[in-house]
């Protein structure tokens, strides 16, 4: 931003108010990158917060005067806070803060814990510990958004699925560069509290999900009960420990979210959030309806949301044989989501998501490459024409089952229908297609 450029071009002079903090690992005495450093007044009012750089350092300039404190937090480490110190207009203060390793103890967490709203002391202690670690990742992701730490190359998609959730009936995908923009943003928490997580908009219901800012808000914490559970053996979350949440009883009038924040107990790092919707109409309460938000720590210590989706019921209208009555039913699902393809900090690419792709070659019935064949992924924006060696490619693609259609002017002139077939695309892999047309 302009403010950041001005600050870099005109750094504060010595003698102005400067507070520097260095976070150190208590075991190795090495700098801790990506630690959350919060500067606050002695009364607890937050003045500023930053993430430490590769030297474990954070600088604060002209943030306020009076008694202040520094609190340093890092995932997997115990938090530390300094004594209050006096700051005036010409203060130059430095503090080294040492953090001790503090992993989540998973031993003994063999059953679901009680919720925060009706909790025994032991379960309450574990739940509080899990929330403390999840909160650190959420704060780091919120700081990345607030301070525009990254630029994103994003693939957004919307696709209609049948009741099996396997066949892509219609898919739309767009790729855009979001300069200094958060890839995934929720509705304001005030709107979610007032209207719930499903909003009627014309003939379509809009389903919403919580982002880091919502999960950290007092409104969300005050309207949900928290507990814990351990990942099921053989499931995706095996070996992980989950912080569960569900709405309080006074939220029954609204469509709300309930779910689990999954953490790795060996590193205390947040992995993903999965959620579903409660207080829906009975006909819409299907296990497929819900969503997921992934979290990822970047090499420079920041946190981002690299992938997310919401799966909503798609409704149809069924009439009785005599036409006297009609009812709605779930005919399939509408899935909307996105994936970060590249993450860029100033001057460098620091992350890359593994999307799927499709490459292929089209030949005629005697094996010769066909140039000028129109290749279409049905229902999407993806179309291409084969080159002189009959090849084509589509990238990036969200995972799913695609219907491929091949057409050529010569075939159309002779009344030949386009060739159609389906292919599966998997994240991180390139689907190879070799097809022949008459």
């Amino acid at each position: 931003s302009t403010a950041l450029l001005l600050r870099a071009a005109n750094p504060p002079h010595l003698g102005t108010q400067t507070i520097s903090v260095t976070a150190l690992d208590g075991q190795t005495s090495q700098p801790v990158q990506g630690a959350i450093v919060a500067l606050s007044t002695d009364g607890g009012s937050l003045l500023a917060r930053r993430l430490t750089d590769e030297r474990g350092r954070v600088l604060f300039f002209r943030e306020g005067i009076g008694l202040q404190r520094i609190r340093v937090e890092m995932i997997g480490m115990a938090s530390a806070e300094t004594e209050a110190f006096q700051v005036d207009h010409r203060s130059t203060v430095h503090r080294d803060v040492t953090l001790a390793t503090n992993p989540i103890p998973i031993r003994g967490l063999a059953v679901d814990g009680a919720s925060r709203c009706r909790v025994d002391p032991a379960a309450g202690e574990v739940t509080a510990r899990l929330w403390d670690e999840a909160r650190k990742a959420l704060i780091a992701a919120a700081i990345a958004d607030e301070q525009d730490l990254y630029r994103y190359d994003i693939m957004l998609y919307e696709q209609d699925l049948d009741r099996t959730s396997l066949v892509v009936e219609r898919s739309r995908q767009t790729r855009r560069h979001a300069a200094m923009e958060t890839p995934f943003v929720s509705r304001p928490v005030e709107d979610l509290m007032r209207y719930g997580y499903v909003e009627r908009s014309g003939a379509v219901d809009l389903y919403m999900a919580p982002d880091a800012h919502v999960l950290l808000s007092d409104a969300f914490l005050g309207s949900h009960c928290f507990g814990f559970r351990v990942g099921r053996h053989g499931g995706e979350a095996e070996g992980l420990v989950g912080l569960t949440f569900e709405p309080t009883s006074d939220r029954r009038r609204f469509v709300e979210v309930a779910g689990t924040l999954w953490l790795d107990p060996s590193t205390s790092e947040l992995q993903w959030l999965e959620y579903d919707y409660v207080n829906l109409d009975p006909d819409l309460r299907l296990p497929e309806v819900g969503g997921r938000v992934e979290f990822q720590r970047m090499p420079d210590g920041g946190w981002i949301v690299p992938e997310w989706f919401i799966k909503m019921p798609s409704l149809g209208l069924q009439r009785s044989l005599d036409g006297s009555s009609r009812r709605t039913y779930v005919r399939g699902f509408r899935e909307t989501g996105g994936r970060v393809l590249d993450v860029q900090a100033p001057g460098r690419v620091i992350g890359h998501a593994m999307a799927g792709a499709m490459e292929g070659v089209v030949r005629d019935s005697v094996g010769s490459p066909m140039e000028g064949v129109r290749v279409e992924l049905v229902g999407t924006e993806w179309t291409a024409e084969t080159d002189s060696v009959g090849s084509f490619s589509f990238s990036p693609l969200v995972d799913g089952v695609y219907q491929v259609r091949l057409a050529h002017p010569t075939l159309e002139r002779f009344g030949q229908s386009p060739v159609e077939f389906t292919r599966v695309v998997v994240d991180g892999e390139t689907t190879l297609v070799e097809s022949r047309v008459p």
Side-chain angles (χ1 to χ4, degrees):
S1 67
T2 303
L4 291 176
L5 292 174
L6 290 174
R7 176 173 289 180
N10 301 285
H13 297 289
L14 292 178
T16 62
Q17 183 195 101
T18 304
I19 301 171
S20 68
V21 183
T22 302
L24 301 172
D25 188 313
Q27 288 185 329
T28 65
S29 298
Q30 294 298 308
V32 177
Q33 185 178 20
I36 303 163
V37 181
L39 179 68
S40 62
T41 66
D42 191 37
S45 297
L46 180 66
L47 297 173
R49 60 185 181 184
R50 305 274 191 278
L51 298 179
T52 56
D53 60 18
E54 67 276 4
R55 293 176 292 177
R57 192 178 68 159
V58 161
L59 295 177
F60 297 103
F61 303 114
R62 297 184 292 272
E63 299 291 356
I65 60 174
L67 283 176
Q68 300 182 11
R69 293 178 183 270
I70 294 168
R71 181 176 177 83
V72 182
E73 299 181 289
M74 181 63 187
I75 294 169
M77 294 183 170
S79 301
E81 187 172 296
T82 67
E83 296 290 337
F85 53 88
Q86 183 68 37
V87 177
D88 59 35
H89 289 293
R90 293 185 174 275
S91 292
T92 300
V93 178
H94 177 77
R95 292 291 186 271
D96 287 337
V97 181
T98 302
L99 303 175
T101 302
N102 193 27
I104 299 174
I106 193 172
R107 184 172 300 173
L109 305 185
V111 297
D112 287 0
S115 75
R116 187 194 66 181
C117 303
R118 47 186 188 281
V119 66
D120 61 77
E125 182 178 350
V126 172
T127 299
R129 180 66 182 284
L130 291 173
W131 168 244
D132 191 47
E133 294 300 330
R135 180 185 60 84
K136 295 173 188 176
L138 295 172
I139 289 176
I143 290 175
D145 296 343
E146 294 164 1
Q147 300 181 6
D148 296 329
L149 296 183
Y150 307 119
R151 299 171 184 264
Y152 301 95
D153 189 13
I154 302 172
M155 176 178 67
L156 301 176
Y157 70 90
E158 185 176 283
Q159 57 191 18
D160 292 330
L161 312 176
D162 67 8
R163 285 294 296 265
T164 68
S165 293
L166 294 177
V167 178
V168 177
E169 296 179 334
R170 182 176 56 187
S171 178
R172 290 166 295 280
Q173 299 181 36
T174 60
R175 178 172 178 166
R176 63 188 177 90
H177 188 69
M180 309 297 281
E181 183 178 324
T182 305
F184 169 74
V185 182
S186 175
R187 285 283 182 88
V189 67
E190 296 81 9
D191 291 350
L192 298 175
M193 292 297 296
R194 186 178 297 116
Y195 305 113
Y197 286 78
V198 176
E199 179 181 328
R200 174 69 70 176
S201 178
V204 179
D205 288 341
L206 301 178
Y207 285 65
M208 289 160 278
D211 63 6
H213 293 277
V214 170
L215 294 169
L216 289 166
S217 68
D218 291 338
F220 186 89
L221 297 176
S223 60
H224 289 79
C225 301
F226 290 82
F228 69 87
R229 65 190 179 109
V230 176
R232 182 170 52 86
H233 179 70
E236 184 183 10
E238 180 179 2
L240 303 181
V241 59
L243 176 71
T244 63
F245 59 88
E246 60 184 21
T248 53
S249 58
D250 59 345
R251 297 291 294 172
R252 289 174 182 166
R253 295 188 300 115
F254 305 94
V255 176
E256 267 283 355
V257 288
T260 305
L261 290 153
W262 288 105
L263 295 90
D264 184 340
S266 63
T267 63
S268 301
E269 292 188 349
L270 180 60
Q271 304 296 301
W272 73 83
L273 158 68
E274 61 187 19
Y275 60 92
D276 55 23
Y277 297 92
V278 296
N279 306 330
L280 282 172
D281 293 336
D283 292 342
L284 306 181
R285 295 174 193 163
L286 301 172
E288 295 87 352
V289 177
R292 177 162 167 151
V293 180
E294 301 274 352
F295 293 89
Q296 181 181 346
R297 185 181 181 187
M298 305 306 296
D300 65 351
W303 281 77
I304 68 166
V305 173
E307 188 173 354
W308 65 96
F309 72 82
I310 301 175
K311 188 177 289 186
M312 304 161 278
S314 180
L315 302 181
L317 187 64
Q318 190 175 56
R319 298 179 181 272
S320 62
L321 292 176
D322 59 5
S324 61
S325 62
R326 60 183 183 178
R327 71 176 186 89
T328 58
Y329 69 99
V330 178
R331 63 182 180 185
F333 304 100
R334 166 70 57 83
E335 181 178 309
T336 65
R339 179 173 302 149
V340 173
L341 302 174
D342 286 316
V343 185
Q344 300 176 12
R348 69 191 193 280
V349 176
I350 61 173
H352 181 73
M354 296 295 290
M358 183 184 297
E359 295 180 359
V361 61
V362 180
R363 305 178 188 278
D364 62 20
S365 56
V366 296
S368 300
M370 289 193 67
E371 182 178 4
V373 176
R374 186 173 70 253
V375 185
E376 175 186 357
L377 300 186
V378 178
T380 79
E381 299 175 348
W382 290 107
T383 59
E385 282 196 359
T386 56
D387 59 19
S388 59
V389 293
S391 66
F392 67 91
S393 65
F394 299 117
S395 176
L397 294 177
V398 67
D399 57 329
V401 181
Y402 290 85
Q403 184 177 2
V404 184
R405 177 181 294 160
L406 308 177
H408 191 275
T410 302
L411 297 179
E412 296 171 355
R413 191 159 53 247
F414 284 95
Q416 179 70 39
S417 300
V419 176
E420 295 191 0
F421 52 89
T422 60
R423 289 293 184 271
V424 178
V425 173
V426 179
D427 284 345
E429 299 181 9
T430 298
T431 298
L432 301 178
V433 175
E434 184 170 355
S435 182
R436 298 202 175 197
V437 298

